[in-house]
């Protein structure tokens, strides 16, 4: 009898140690990449959480003191989500100042092309290249206090002021506005009007939209927070499975 009790204690201790190891790995993922799996919900669905936080980092490293989202971490994660049959959906949470245009568009295109149901939630800010990433999900939410800044494409470093350079910047901007308009309810023409507004931003061109304004303009689908976003995702997963 004593041996059985000892075996039971040993088995319980091993389980606790294993659970602690899993928790530590999840904590490391959150710390390093802002990613975690949500799988303890009542409806027994496995949701992958992806956070787009701070500056979206592209081919060049951002300053070490900056909070960044590295696209070389995000793209493999999205490919894994698409390939993993046990993943039911993706929740994207954004609080970003923007960043590298090519990296941001790459992430947005990957999210938009996923076959799994996707929902985005804008908290704090979804500025600049964060706008395409916010609308890339199948359905989008924004909290009332969040803002989205829409402005023209900018260039870092040397800028040669010739016609070819200007046309190139126009093409990049068209790619961004075209993506946003095709994944939301706002027209490309209206987006360009907001981008070129000179009446809102001091020493800059563009428009800052608060949560309700972003919904009214047709960029974001609905006002809501984390509970609304999760409920919507569960509902979409249910419809996806029935299909």
């Amino acid at each position: 009898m004593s041996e059985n009790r000892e075996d039971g204690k040993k088995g319980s201790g091993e389980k606790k140690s294993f659970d602690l190891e899993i928790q530590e790995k999840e904590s490391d993922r959150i710390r390093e990449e802002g990613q975690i799996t949500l799988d303890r919900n009542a409806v027994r669905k496995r949701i992958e959480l992806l956070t787009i936080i701070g500056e979206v980092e592209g081919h060049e490293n951002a300053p070490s003191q900056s909070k960044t989202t590295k696209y070389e971490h995000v793209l493999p994660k999205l490919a894994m989500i698409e390939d993993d049959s046990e993943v039911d959906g993706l929740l994207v949470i954004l609080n970003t100042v923007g960043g590298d245009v090519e990296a941001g568009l790459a992430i947005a295109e990957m999210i938009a092309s996923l076959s799994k149901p996707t929902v985005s939630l804008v908290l704090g800010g979804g500025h600049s290249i964060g706008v395409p990433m916010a609308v890339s999900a199948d359905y989008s939410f924004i909290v009332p206090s969040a803002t989205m800044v829409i402005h023209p494409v900018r260039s870092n470093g040397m800028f040669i002021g010739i016609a070819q350079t200007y046309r190139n910047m126009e093409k990049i901007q068209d790619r961004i506005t075209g993506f946003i308009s095709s994944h939301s309810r706002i027209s490309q023409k209206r987006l360009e009007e907001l981008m070129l507004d000179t009446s809102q931003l001091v020493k800059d061109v563009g428009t800052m939209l608060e949560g309700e304004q972003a919904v009214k303009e047709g960029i974001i689908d609905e006002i809501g927070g984390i509970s609304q976003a999760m409920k919507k995702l569960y509902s979409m997963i249910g419809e996806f499975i029935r299909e």
Side-chain angles (χ1 to χ4, degrees):
M1 291 292 290
S2 60
E3 287 183 5
N4 289 338
R5 281 198 297 271
E6 288 297 323
D7 288 343
K9 288 180 181 178
K10 185 177 179 181
S12 176
E14 288 177 349
K15 185 178 185 303
K16 287 181 180 178
S17 177
F18 180 70
D19 290 343
L20 183 61
E21 184 179 342
I22 291 175
Q23 290 175 9
E24 288 175 349
K25 286 181 178 178
E26 287 182 346
S27 296
D28 288 341
R29 285 180 65 198
I30 296 172
R31 244 189 330 267
E32 295 298 322
E33 302 175 10
Q35 301 169 5
I36 192 172
T37 302
L38 307 173
D39 57 2
R40 298 180 182 179
N41 49 78
V43 292
R44 300 180 182 275
K45 302 302 178 186
R46 183 177 169 190
I47 308 298
E48 289 293 327
L49 172 66
L50 173 66
T51 58
I52 309 294
I53 302 296
E55 182 180 348
V56 178
E57 190 176 88
H59 300 296
E60 296 181 3
N61 291 334
S64 58
Q65 69 270 21
S66 299
K67 291 283 186 182
T68 64
T69 296
K70 300 179 185 296
Y71 87 117
E72 67 267 28
H73 290 170
V74 175
L75 297 186
K77 170 73 174 181
L78 293 172
M80 181 278 292
I81 290 170
E82 178 63 26
D83 186 60
D84 192 340
S85 61
E86 294 185 0
V87 174
D88 296 301
L90 170 67
L91 175 64
V92 183
I93 293 181
L94 300 102
N95 186 1
T96 177
V97 296
D100 187 281
V101 170
E102 300 295 340
L105 277 178
I107 293 170
E109 290 283 9
M110 282 281 281
I111 294 172
S113 64
L114 290 174
S115 63
K116 312 288 177 74
T118 57
V119 168
S120 66
L121 171 61
V122 180
L123 300 168
H127 306 322
S128 191
I129 201 62
V131 179
M133 289 187 284
V135 305
S136 64
D138 297 324
Y139 201 86
S140 56
F141 288 89
I142 187 170
V143 296
S145 62
T147 57
M148 306 187 82
V149 173
I150 300 167
H151 62 72
V153 174
R154 297 180 176 88
S155 176
N156 294 326
M158 183 179 292
F159 188 88
I160 303 172
I162 57 176
Q164 290 91 331
T165 304
Y166 178 74
R167 284 198 295 270
N168 184 52
M169 297 292 283
E170 275 192 324
K171 288 180 180 178
I172 295 171
Q173 190 161 292
D174 286 344
R175 287 163 58 200
I176 295 170
T177 56
F179 181 91
I180 296 170
S181 63
S182 65
H183 290 84
S184 65
R185 293 175 287 109
I186 192 170
S187 69
Q188 194 164 354
K189 181 181 178 182
R190 177 57 180 159
L191 268 173
E192 290 169 355
E193 290 174 354
L194 294 174
M195 279 184 168
L196 300 175
D197 191 339
T198 59
S199 65
Q200 285 204 31
L201 305 179
V202 178
K203 297 181 180 178
D204 203 352
V205 176
T207 301
M208 177 181 285
L209 300 172
E210 294 180 353
E212 290 185 2
Q213 292 173 309
V215 174
K216 186 177 179 181
E217 289 285 356
I219 297 174
I220 299 297
D221 291 310
E222 189 177 336
I223 290 287
I226 186 65
S227 62
Q228 290 88 351
M230 294 295 286
K231 286 177 184 177
K232 180 65 176 179
L233 188 52
Y234 294 149
S235 173
M236 292 168 62
I237 290 169
E239 293 174 4
F240 178 79
I241 292 172
R242 284 194 294 271
E243 290 177 0

